[in-house]
Structure formats: structure tokens, C-alpha cells
Amino acid sequence: MESLLLIRSILVILSTCYTNGLSLSDLYPYGTEHGDTMRNGSTLPVAPLLAPIDNLVRIGPAGVTGTRYRVSEEGIFGIRSDGTANDIYLNVLYSTSGIHDNTKVYGRTTTDPVLLKRAMDQINEAFPNTFCSTSPPTQLIIATWIDFLKFDSNQGSNFQLIIVTNGRITFGIALYVNVSITSADETGIGFLINDVYEQADPSFFPFGTTVMDAPSMMLNSNIPGTYVFPLYDIPPDTCSSGCFPCKSRLVQLACEAMRSNGEDVPASCNN
């Protein structure tokens, strides 16, 4: 009886630990001490990716490869392609109105295995079986905005964008700690293709431009203020390509378990 009560208590704690949404400590590590480039009130310099990203949403079929990234003080994240006029823009909390003097912008790329595992687990929770041991993410781009538009009576907003990719499969994780503006100019994903700009598609961020409630919204995660979304154009066939060895290994383990128990094994176990 006591063990049953303990289990119930643990479940209650786990289900309520994020009822107040995210805090700054829940964000992926950021700051110059973690290797970030930082600017106060201005855009970060364009920086190279650790490895190119192919198959980006909408511009992938044209053979465009992302090679650089940029983080703007206006709440925009961009992936650019060398030698082309093709860019993809993620408007996480885009706003040109207001004063950005106190907005702190951070950005870096990383292959930290602990952070890669954290991001992989977070994505697989929202989109099961996206990444596996034979097809894991290989780099993260971490962009962080602290005290966004903080000035006078505006207390500022704090949010983060994580780009998770293995070059072929690419996802974004948006994390909103707090938002102190009632609306954004636009949110979503926009494109510059052959010098033609396409406005941001709001379907990628379901709250549209009404962003005040984003930190408390349950989107496609069990943590309020957390939104996971794909950035690749054509979903790869993970079952027969990158993740097929995961399935075959499970079959192999099942066959070994049956043999060790003295059971008859199906003919497929001999293949």
C-alpha cells in the first residue's frame, strides 16, 4: 500500500513539475562561458555551420545546402547558402517595433554529446522514431535571446531556438521562458528564394502573432512553452534507411532470447 502511494506521489510530481512553464535554467546552456558569440543590441556576425545541412524545408528540392547561420536581435534566425540567393528565416518572436538596445543575443554550434542526446530525446518524444542510434543528430545550433526588447516598462522576453540536424534530418526546438510583448510582427518560417521573399508561414508556430501566452501553451510537448517542428522538406524513409538497423537489432535480440529459453524460433531468425 505504501509503495502504491509512493508511485502515485511520484507521478503527480512528474506531471506538475512544469506547470509554471520553463525557467532560464531549463534552457540549453548559453553564454560566453559556453562558447557563445554574444552581442548586445545588434545582430551576430554570420558564422559557418560545423557541417552543411541539406534538404531544408521548401528550398531543399532545389539542391540548396545550408552552410552558414545568422542570429538577429530582432528575433530572427537565418540559415544561408554560400553562392546563392536562397535563405530560410525562422521568426521565433520577430518584432522590429521597440528598442533593442538591451537585447542580448547569443549563438554557437556544438557537438556536445550530452546536448545532442537531450535534443534527440526531446524530438523523438514529439515525433517518435525520428532519430536512432544509427542516424543520430550530429550538430546543434543554439540561438538565445535574453531581455528581448527590454526597455522602460517592458520587462523583456527570454527565449531560445535549437536547430538539431544530421545534415539530412533537421528539426527546430523553440523554448519560451517568458514573453512581455502582446504580439509579434510575424512568427513562422519565411524564405528568400532566387531573390524573391516569401512571408513567414504561421502554421509552423500555432499561436500566430499572439505570442503573450506562448510560454504557458501546451503545444506538441509535455512541457509548456516548448515547440518542436521539422525543417526538412521530404521526410526520409527512416525505417528502411537510417533506422533499419535499429529494427533488425531488436529482431536479433528477440531471436537470441527465444533460443536461450529453449523455444522454437521462426525461420526468419536464421536470416
Side-chain angles (χ1 to χ4, degrees):
M1 184 64 180
E2 291 181 357
S3 60
L4 181 59
L5 290 174
L6 178 60
I7 293 172
R8 287 179 176 174
S9 299
I10 293 173
L11 290 174
V12 169
I13 292 171
L14 290 175
S15 65
T16 59
C17 61
Y18 282 103
T19 54
N20 294 323
L22 298 168
S23 66
L24 288 177
S25 62
D26 295 316
L27 296 181
Y28 283 63
Y30 66 92
T32 54
E33 67 273 24
H34 295 288
D36 278 339
T37 300
M38 182 265 187
R39 290 290 185 276
N40 196 338
S42 63
T43 297
L44 296 184
V46 175
L49 301 175
L50 296 176
I53 301 177
D54 293 318
N55 195 30
L56 288 170
V57 63
R58 193 114 38 115
I59 61 176
V64 175
T65 298
T67 55
R68 298 177 294 162
Y69 74 96
R70 186 182 74 126
V71 186
S72 164
E73 84 280 7
E74 296 177 343
I76 303 173
F77 176 88
I79 298 177
R80 297 184 166 184
S81 302
D82 287 332
T84 73
N86 297 278
D87 298 335
I88 175 174
Y89 297 98
L90 282 71
N91 298 334
V92 189
L93 193 66
Y94 172 55
S95 179
T96 57
S97 59
I99 299 175
H100 289 277
D101 290 356
N102 297 314
T103 300
K104 302 175 184 65
V105 184
Y106 301 86
R108 79 179 185 278
T109 54
T110 181
T111 58
D112 185 317
V114 174
L115 297 182
L116 286 170
K117 177 66 165 52
R118 173 181 171 181
M120 182 174 73
D121 291 345
Q122 207 162 9
I123 291 167
N124 283 342
E125 182 180 358
F127 294 84
N129 304 316
T130 294
F131 291 108
C132 64
S133 60
T134 58
S135 184
T138 54
Q139 70 171 310
L140 303 182
I141 313 165
I142 302 176
T144 310
W145 291 262
I146 301 296
D147 293 336
F148 179 75
L149 287 178
K150 183 176 183 179
F151 201 85
D152 292 339
S153 61
N154 189 328
Q155 298 179 358
S157 305
N158 300 299
F159 53 98
Q160 192 175 63
L161 173 68
I162 314 298
I163 302 298
V164 188
T165 183
N166 60 13
R168 197 168 54 93
I169 304 172
T170 304
F171 272 78
I173 304 174
L175 304 168
Y176 296 89
V177 173
N178 49 51
V179 175
S180 297
I181 59 174
T182 55
S183 64
D185 292 346
E186 62 180 10
T187 61
I189 300 178
F191 310 88
L192 181 66
I193 303 176
N194 298 324
D195 292 321
V196 177
Y197 178 71
E198 297 185 31
Q199 286 188 314
D201 181 353
S203 65
F204 283 94
F205 291 85
F207 41 78
T209 60
T210 307
V211 292
M212 180 67 81
D213 294 332
S216 61
M217 292 177 66
M218 297 294 291
L219 298 171
N220 60 355
S221 169
N222 62 352
I223 304 173
T226 303
Y227 184 54
V228 180
F229 52 98
L231 285 169
Y232 54 91
D233 189 80
I234 302 172
D237 184 1
T238 54
C239 289
S240 62
S241 56
C243 283
F244 180 77
C246 301
K247 182 184 295 185
S248 61
R249 178 57 179 156
L250 288 174
V251 172
Q252 182 185 10
L253 290 172
C255 293
E256 292 173 358
M258 293 175 69
R259 289 192 181 100
S260 65
N261 290 331
E263 301 177 30
D264 293 331
V265 298
S268 59
C269 283
N270 298 320
N271 295 330

